[in-house]
Amino acid sequence: MTIPSDFLWGAATAAYQIEGSPLADGAGASIWHRFVHTPGLVRDGDTGDVACDHYRRWAGDVALMRQLGLKAYRFSVSWSRILPGGIGAVNSVGLDFYVRLVDALLENGIEPLVTLYHWDLPAALDDRGGWLNPEISNWFADYAAVMFRRLDGCVKKWVTLNEPWVVSDGGYLHGALAPGHRNRFEAPIASHNLLRAHGAAVQAYRAEGRHQIGLVVNLEPKYKASDDPADIAATARADAYMNRQYLDPAILGSYPEEMADIFGEAWPDWPAHDLALIRQRIDFLGINYYTRNVTRFDPDAWPLKARAVRQKQSTYTETGWEVFAPALTDTLLWVKSRYGEIPLYITENGAAFFDPPVSPKGGINDALRVDYLREHIVAVHEAIRRGVDVRGYMVWSLLDNLEWSLGYSKRFGIVHVDFESQRRTPKESAHFYSKVIASNGTILGAEAS
Ligand code: BGC
């Protein structure tokens, strides 16, 4: 294996999915707090009120990370703990939580990667229009600056947004995620304001910060189901919508031409000064990769007229995602060829499977997840071998957690969480991953030969 010796092996989480205590110590409500407490929106009525109780158990969780040998931990900050009203007065008790966490990580030799926005918008800002209000770029940059001023001495890698596509698609187009809107006119506006907020936060960082800042997108390569021109065009639309809608403006300064075709009259003509704000130099790009799609034209699929075709021979995860590791190599090669030389991190990769029960010896043999991780890490290595500058890999997720509107029904953790007792049990995948880290990936080379 040719993995660089300073490769960042880590695991990722997000505030609302693990912390619990969402209103503790003066925090304001977020849109997720509201969403989960609206009857019928989340499976089994699950909420993040307790989640993994990480807000209180963070020290034990850091000890666990050290035990696993993680070199990095990617987590997100809850905006409404820092600024309960989204703007205005800083809640220093909320800020202190993250200061303590970062200090503990550093004491344990674990590098923090801090995401400023992983979907939990302060509810007070949603009341002012949320991502539909163009003012949000200033709100976000102000919040980001509070974090930079307090933590840039210790945090060397910042992420503005996690997966703007999901925020817009789930939150404003299809409505399965907070704030739960379903509106073709809103989705492009939300996307555009997310990008403007990203640009404004990067600008704020250039004024305040001394280290690195980047963006995290979820990429899902689209493969045409056939050579039928309708399938080819559908594949291009799906690819533009999911894979290029954010990276093109952020890195190249323009939206993909397919966007107007997809949204029709709902696609505005964006001003050039917005695109200039959006296109800021970033220090790295984070890629979240879970699956690919084989895409076919479907006139009834709204609004893309494209849908994924199920692959009979493939394994699917519990979230219905095809396991297909070679597409991760393809994705990394594609990013390099389209967007140029930019340091890349896999900021999320993982899978939900039904885990077997705890064995009499206390172990959890999650063999499917071990296979998934092995294949995907090998796929990352293949991209590095072919010249892509990949500098780290973070498993999603450290802990089983609240899978958004699917509640606790889907487990992504390499560490099992018993939500009754809050007991943490590293699964076989955690032990496997520890060995990968300790050998800097060489055990995979050995296994493969
Ligand atoms: C998100 C996570 C989520 C995971 C699995 C990503 O889209 O960043 O918050 O839990 O995928 O669905």
Side-chain angles (χ1 to χ4, degrees):
M1 299 283 275
T2 48
I3 293 188
S5 58
D6 56 356
F7 194 76
L8 268 193
W9 297 100
T13 63
Y16 192 74
Q17 294 182 274
I18 65 162
E19 287 179 354
S21 310
L23 303 179
D25 299 329
S30 72
I31 53 172
W32 268 95
H33 182 70
R34 268 193 188 161
F35 193 82
V36 303
H37 285 284
T38 308
L41 297 184
V42 174
R43 188 174 300 187
D44 303 327
D46 286 342
T47 76
D49 289 358
V50 178
C52 305
D53 199 21
H54 173 77
Y55 189 70
R56 299 189 307 158
R57 293 170 193 263
W58 59 273
D61 289 337
V62 173
L64 178 63
M65 293 176 218
R66 184 194 177 118
Q67 194 188 314
L68 296 176
L70 299 190
K71 295 188 192 293
Y73 174 52
R74 172 174 177 248
F75 64 93
S76 78
V77 174
S78 159
W79 184 344
S80 55
R81 287 198 198 282
I82 309 300
L83 296 153
I87 50 179
V90 173
N91 172 32
S92 60
V93 195
L95 188 50
D96 286 348
F97 168 70
Y98 297 105
V99 174
R100 280 195 301 274
L101 176 62
V102 165
D103 285 348
L105 289 166
L106 293 175
E107 277 160 25
N108 285 281
I110 300 166
E111 172 160 4
L113 269 83
V114 178
T115 304
L116 293 166
Y117 188 71
H118 200 127
W119 311 355
D120 45 357
L121 187 73
L125 296 183
D126 194 49
D127 293 340
R128 298 172 175 226
W131 289 108
L132 302 176
N133 187 332
E135 270 303 301
I136 200 165
S137 56
N138 296 325
W139 303 337
F140 183 64
D142 289 348
Y143 149 61
V146 170
M147 297 308 301
F148 300 151
R149 269 174 225 142
R150 186 66 182 84
L151 276 173
D152 192 55
C154 302
V155 172
K156 302 211 163 54
K157 290 183 180 61
W158 295 91
V159 169
T160 54
L161 308 174
N162 178 69
E163 302 188 351
W165 179 81
V166 176
V167 176
S168 172
D169 181 81
Y172 292 88
L173 187 69
H174 292 293
L177 304 176
H181 300 191
R182 188 180 156 84
N183 187 317
R184 183 165 59 97
F185 285 85
E186 289 183 1
I189 298 170
S191 294
H192 190 67
N193 286 330
L194 281 153
L195 282 164
R196 289 176 58 257
H198 158 75
V202 175
Q203 281 185 337
Y205 192 69
R206 299 298 171 217
E208 309 270 353
R210 288 180 291 120
H211 304 292
Q212 299 186 341
I213 191 158
L215 172 68
V216 166
V217 290
N218 52 312
L219 298 181
E220 195 177 282
K222 310 292 179 183
Y223 297 82
K224 58 185 179 189
S226 80
D227 285 329
D228 183 326
D231 285 347
I232 293 173
T235 307
R237 279 195 302 278
D239 178 60
Y241 178 57
M242 193 158 176
N243 300 322
R244 288 180 273 127
Q245 183 178 185
Y246 303 92
L247 289 183
D248 273 18
I251 299 176
L252 307 178
S254 59
Y255 280 105
E257 59 184 21
E258 293 92 341
M259 298 309 300
D261 183 22
I262 296 165
F263 283 100
E265 56 176 346
W267 183 256
D269 208 3
W270 301 112
H273 60 86
D274 275 2
L275 286 153
L277 168 64
I278 290 167
R279 186 190 196 182
Q280 299 292 322
R281 178 179 61 80
I282 51 175
D283 300 303
F284 64 89
L285 178 66
I287 295 168
N288 295 350
Y289 174 86
Y290 289 92
T291 188
R292 68 149 178 185
N293 263 194
V294 177
T295 307
R296 168 161 293 161
F297 173 63
D298 178 351
D300 299 327
W302 179 84
L304 279 179
K305 299 195 179 70
R307 74 177 162 85
V309 190
R310 203 173 163 89
Q311 302 300 295
K312 288 200 189 70
Q313 75 290 355
S314 292
T315 303
Y316 280 78
T317 71
E318 282 307 311
T319 46
W321 299 341
E322 184 191 0
V323 177
F324 194 79
L328 176 51
T329 311
D330 290 353
T331 298
L332 291 166
L333 289 165
W334 172 77
V335 168
K336 177 177 164 147
S337 71
R338 186 170 179 84
Y339 300 108
E341 290 292 345
I342 172 166
L344 304 179
Y345 291 86
I346 302 300
T347 34
E348 289 181 26
N349 175 240
F353 289 113
F354 279 128
D355 293 329
V358 182
S359 75
K361 285 190 185 156
I364 297 173
N365 186 11
D366 57 337
L368 288 171
R369 189 173 292 100
V370 172
D371 287 347
Y372 183 99
L373 296 182
R374 179 192 292 113
E375 288 170 19
H376 286 79
I377 295 168
V378 168
V380 173
H381 172 248
E382 177 59 13
I384 296 174
R385 202 184 60 74
R386 290 164 70 177
V388 185
D389 184 6
V390 189
R391 300 195 181 178
Y393 171 92
M394 322 274 141
V395 173
W396 185 268
S397 179
L398 176 69
L399 302 169
D400 290 335
N401 59 47
L402 180 90
E403 179 53 19
W404 305 109
S405 43
L406 298 175
Y408 297 99
S409 67
K410 304 290 175 251
R411 290 178 179 268
F412 275 88
I414 55 172
V415 174
H416 176 268
V417 177
D418 175 334
F419 291 104
E420 296 287 306
S421 65
Q422 289 295 339
R423 187 181 311 114
R424 275 75 161 135
T425 309
K427 303 176 192 176
E428 197 49 43
S429 55
H431 299 305
F432 163 76
Y433 190 46
S434 286
K435 288 185 212 145
V436 171
I437 299 173
S439 72
N440 202 38
T442 51
I443 62 153
L444 296 176
E447 281 181 11
S449 63

